[in-house]
Amino acid sequence: MTTQLKMKASQFLTELQTKGLRLTSLDQEHVSRRGGAGPSDHQAITVDGTTLMVPIYTQTAWASPFTLSDDEVTNGHIGEEIDATQDTPATQLLSNSIPLADVTFAKDPEFYNLSTKDGIPYSHIATLHSTDVLATTVLQTCIRYESRRKACQFCSIGQSLRAGRTIAHKTPEQLAEVAKAAVALDGIKHIVMTTGTPAGEDRGAKVMCESAKGIKAVVDVPIQGQCEPPKDPVWYQRMKDAGIDSLGMHLEVITPELRKTITPGKSEVSLEEYFQAFEDAVAVFGRGQVSTYILAGLGDTEETIIDTCRKLVAIGVYPFVVPFVPISGTPLEDRPAPLASFMEAVLRPLAQDLVNLKMTSDKVKAGCVRCGACSSLSRFEKEATYETV
């Protein structure tokens, strides 16, 4: 079957990611996860050569017009014959029962079948994100999350721990063991390490160093570390020396009043401190190797997001703008996801800026930006054309 999309791929993928996918049978669940550190309540779907993390367990997804056919199809991506080596058979993506495209899914990773010597399943230590990314939350606890007054209102870091699907602290030895197996068995190409914020002025940088050293001792794979800005900028060089290839420090929300409401604990680290941290980190890791998440749909206006992104890009920080996903069990579970039109209004000019400055996602060594599955931004980059600035 050859399927023609009636809109640009970037628009179609943005619609899918903001509205989510409504599953109609258990057989349609593939590699997915509920709760925990993000991306949560998603399933990886490959359509037209692009892999997206698409919400499936959210209230938005339950009302989505997008569904899957119960039948496998004989052709693969749009206009292409199916590849016999792909992870799973293709199926049709439907919108209001109308066929749109053929999609495939990530297969269950082989390393999920293994456990450590002390009986901890590898999947409790690290998980597959997208189709070739190993992700772990080194500390599954956070000084922000422990206080209702300071917790980020969208965060679900404690859910998977309470459900017994992970452990509170992954040691460097455990991470190294799982990383080595995941690379060997499942072709993992890069690693994302995030962490809840611990007490202490390093704000997670220390555990990033320890974890990266452990992994790089046994396998040579690019690593992104993610933490809050450490008090002392000396930690940036320490993280790089330990084996961190790219760094994420996430704003999530921009407007000061919204930060106090939605991220009350994190807002104690001011925007000025974040921007100084970005400059310090770029000086160590290089342009484009430092990134920040911005969650669109939490109240920041299009203009605020675009203006802030341009300031970030100017100093060498990649602004990874993703649609907010309302996760069940959080204070914002009933807040709707942003409209696709809102996302397009932000992502299209941002992609053009990134292309103009040659700071696109394909140049990032490791992490969420390189993966790109939590946003359609990389697809907008592909559609942008270079303009003299």
Side-chain angles (χ1 to χ4, degrees), residues 11-230:
Q11 295 173 297
F12 166 69
L13 296 174
T14 303
E15 287 274 356
L16 175 59
Q17 194 161 52
T18 52
K19 293 180 179 178
L21 177 66
R22 177 165 50 89
L23 302 186
T24 56
S25 73
L26 291 177
D27 292 340
Q28 295 175 349
E29 287 190 34
H30 295 275
V31 182
S32 60
R33 58 193 297 269
R34 293 177 183 264
S40 298
D41 293 7
H42 289 71
Q43 178 166 293
I45 296 173
T46 300
V47 53
D48 195 24
T50 297
T51 299
L52 284 183
M53 298 299 287
V54 177
I56 59 172
Y57 297 128
T58 64
Q59 292 188 36
T60 301
W62 296 334
S64 174
F66 294 108
T67 56
L68 296 173
S69 167
D70 289 327
D71 300 320
E72 296 177 5
V73 298
T74 56
N75 291 322
H77 300 311
I78 300 169
E80 300 176 2
E81 291 298 314
I82 197 166
D83 181 355
T85 65
Q86 68 183 357
D87 288 338
T88 62
T91 189
Q92 283 185 288
L93 177 70
L94 314 175
S95 178
N96 295 315
S97 301
I98 300 173
L100 290 181
D102 301 338
V103 299
T104 57
F105 311 93
K107 66 177 181 179
D108 291 331
E110 294 293 331
F111 77 88
Y112 276 17
N113 297 321
L114 304 177
S115 298
T116 63
K117 291 180 180 179
D118 49 354
I120 300 172
Y122 278 13
S123 61
H124 287 33
I125 295 168
T127 58
L128 177 71
H129 283 198
S130 187
T131 58
D132 59 7
V133 185
L134 185 69
T136 183
T137 304
V138 181
L139 299 179
Q140 202 79 31
T141 57
C142 178
I143 57 170
R144 316 292 191 200
Y145 192 81
E146 301 305 321
S147 167
R148 289 186 179 180
R149 184 175 59 84
K150 292 188 175 184
C152 296
Q153 300 297 289
F154 49 76
C155 184
S156 60
I157 190 173
Q159 289 186 5
S160 53
L161 184 61
R162 287 196 301 270
R165 296 192 300 268
T166 188
I167 58 176
H169 182 193
K170 292 80 173 176
T171 67
E173 294 76 19
Q174 290 170 332
L175 292 169
E177 182 180 343
V178 175
K180 185 176 181 179
V183 170
L185 297 175
D186 298 289
I188 291 297
K189 294 180 180 176
H190 56 115
I191 296 173
V192 179
M193 297 193 310
T194 189
T195 181
T197 302
E201 294 189 345
D202 68 275
R203 293 177 178 150
K206 183 174 183 289
V207 77
M208 289 291 108
C209 292
E210 296 166 347
S211 302
K213 284 181 181 178
I215 293 171
K216 287 291 180 78
V218 300
V219 64
D220 184 18
V221 63
I223 299 173
Q224 184 198 35
Q226 298 179 355
C227 62
E228 288 190 37

Side-chain angles (χ1 to χ4, degrees), residues 253-256 258 294 299-311 342 346:
V253 184
I254 302 167
T255 306
L258 285 173
I294 294 175
D300 288 316
T301 65
E302 294 174 16
E303 294 77 12
T304 296
I305 296 176
I306 292 171
D307 289 347
T308 302
C309 287
R310 285 178 171 155
K311 292 175 184 176
F342 182 92
V346 171

Side-chain angles (χ1 to χ4, degrees), residues 322-335:
V322 306
F324 163 68
V325 176
I327 297 175
S328 300
T330 67
L332 296 183
E333 65 180 358
D334 294 325
R335 185 180 181 91

